[in-house]
């Protein structure tokens, strides 16, 4: 089992550019979560999916952020246009069912300059 | 709705014990504990469910007080490898929604010295 796979590991982009982060959950895990981690705000839940359906996107900061899960093995988080305050580590995590622990991916460190 | 962790930081010598607390103002269904080392992803340690028993994992164990909506993580005979930031994540199941959704505390930095 390769675990949760995220790409890219690092992304540096200029303000105003579009950024797409990718995640492949563990096979058989029906829940997928996108978190953002910063020193100031800690780990914040952005959005999560159950069986590819978005369940709660109340944590998405604004319309510049969007997330999709077209199938059980792939999800994207897109920021358009990006701003310096979006700089953070973005984690994807998956879980088989509620009541089980999350498995986190290695994260994407995003820097917007 | 974010749980509150205490203390914010702990410094230990190898072999010493520590307790990290996590409190919520909401009725909890479950509490998760994770450890994150610098530059790495959080790693799941254990989960405590409402109505469940105290859990243990080698020399790391945890309890969940449902009346107080508090959980405590106990680290005994600490080792250098225990260093990292510990997060609790809480799950609230209000009205049948938000199953599996965790809100994380701000973290407790644990440093173990030789």
């Amino acid at each position: 089992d390769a675990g949760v796979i995220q790409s890219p590991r690092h992304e540096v982009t200029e303000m105003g550019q579009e950024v797409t982060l990718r995640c492949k959950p563990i096979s058989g895990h029906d829940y997928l979560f996108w978190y953002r981690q910063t020193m100031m705000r800690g780990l914040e839940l952005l959005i999560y999916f159950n069986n590819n359906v978005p369940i709660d996107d109340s944590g998405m900061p604004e319309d510049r952020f969007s997330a999709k899960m077209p199938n059980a093995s792939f999800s994207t988080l897109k920021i358009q246009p990006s701003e310096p305050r979006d700089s953070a580590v973005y984690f994807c995590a998956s879980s088989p069912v509620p009541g089980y622990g999350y498995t986190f991916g290695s994260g994407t460190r995003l820097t917007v300059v | 709705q974010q749980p509150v962790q205490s203390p914010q930081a702990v410094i230990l010598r190898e072999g010493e014990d520590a307790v990290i607390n996590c409190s919520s103002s909401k009725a909890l269904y479950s509490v998760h504990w994770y450890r994150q080392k610098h530059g790495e992803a959080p790693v799941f340690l254990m989960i405590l469910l409402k109505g469940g028993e105290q859990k243990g994992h080698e020399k790391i164990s945890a309890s969940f007080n449902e009346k107080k909506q508090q959980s405590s993580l106990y680290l005994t005979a600490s080792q250098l490898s225990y260093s990292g930031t510990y997060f609790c994540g809480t799950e609230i199941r209000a009205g049948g929604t938000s199953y599996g959704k965790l809100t994380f505390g701000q973290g407790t930095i644990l440093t173990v010295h030789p």
Side-chain angles (χ1 to χ4, degrees):
Chain A
D1 187 352
V4 177
I5 300 173
Q6 288 187 248
S7 64
R9 288 296 307 274
H10 301 274
E11 177 80 36
V12 180
T13 190
E14 292 185 348
M15 183 173 61
Q17 296 298 306
E18 178 180 295
V19 176
T20 300
L21 311 181
R22 298 172 175 80
C23 175
K24 176 180 169 57
I26 292 174
S27 177
H29 282 199
D30 291 338
Y31 285 78
L32 183 139
F33 306 85
W34 282 100
Y35 279 85
R36 176 172 68 176
Q37 187 175 36
T38 61
M39 288 294 294
M40 292 297 295
R41 302 175 70 90
L43 274 164
E44 300 176 275
L45 177 66
L46 300 177
I47 185 171
Y48 80 101
F49 297 83
N50 178 24
N51 290 321
N52 314 336
V53 176
I55 302 300
D56 186 340
D57 65 354
S58 59
M60 296 287 260
E62 48 198 272
D63 292 345
R64 297 186 298 107
F65 286 68
S66 63
K68 294 181 179 180
M69 191 165 186
N71 57 62
S73 59
F74 184 64
S75 177
T76 59
L77 178 67
K78 185 176 294 186
I79 308 172
Q80 166 63 17
S82 57
E83 297 182 3
R85 60 193 168 121
D86 301 331
S87 297
V89 179
Y90 290 80
F91 286 106
C92 173
S94 70
S95 173
V97 292
Y100 278 73
Y102 290 7
T103 301
F104 282 82
S106 299
T108 295
R109 181 174 296 277
L110 174 65
T111 304
V112 184
V113 298
Chain B
Q1 201 169 355
Q2 181 184 33
V4 177
Q5 289 185 230
S6 63
Q8 289 186 319
V10 184
I11 299 175
L12 301 173
R13 294 222 175 265
E14 269 188 299
E16 292 182 337
D17 302 340
V19 180
I20 300 172
N21 300 303
C22 175
S23 299
S24 174
S25 59
K26 303 285 187 181
L28 300 176
Y29 178 80
S30 71
V31 180
H32 296 215
W33 286 96
Y34 293 78
R35 177 172 61 207
Q36 183 179 30
K37 292 187 180 286
H38 184 68
E40 299 180 7
V43 173
F44 173 69
L45 295 176
M46 66 188 75
I47 181 173
L48 298 104
L49 300 175
K50 181 179 178 180
E53 299 177 354
Q54 181 167 336
K55 291 289 187 71
H57 178 71
E58 297 179 342
K59 296 179 181 178
I60 301 175
S61 62
S63 63
F64 180 18
N65 185 324
E66 293 175 37
K67 289 184 179 180
K68 293 184 177 181
Q69 303 306 324
Q70 291 179 351
S71 179
S72 295
L73 185 70
Y74 307 94
L75 301 104
T76 58
S78 59
Q79 306 169 13
L80 295 177
S81 61
Y82 286 5
S83 293
T85 301
Y86 289 77
F87 293 95
C88 67
T90 55
E91 181 187 3
I92 298 168
R93 293 192 180 185
T97 60
S98 301
Y99 277 33
K101 172 183 174 180
L102 291 185
T103 303
F104 285 93
Q106 78 278 21
T108 296
I109 301 172
L110 180 75
T111 305
V112 182
H113 291 297

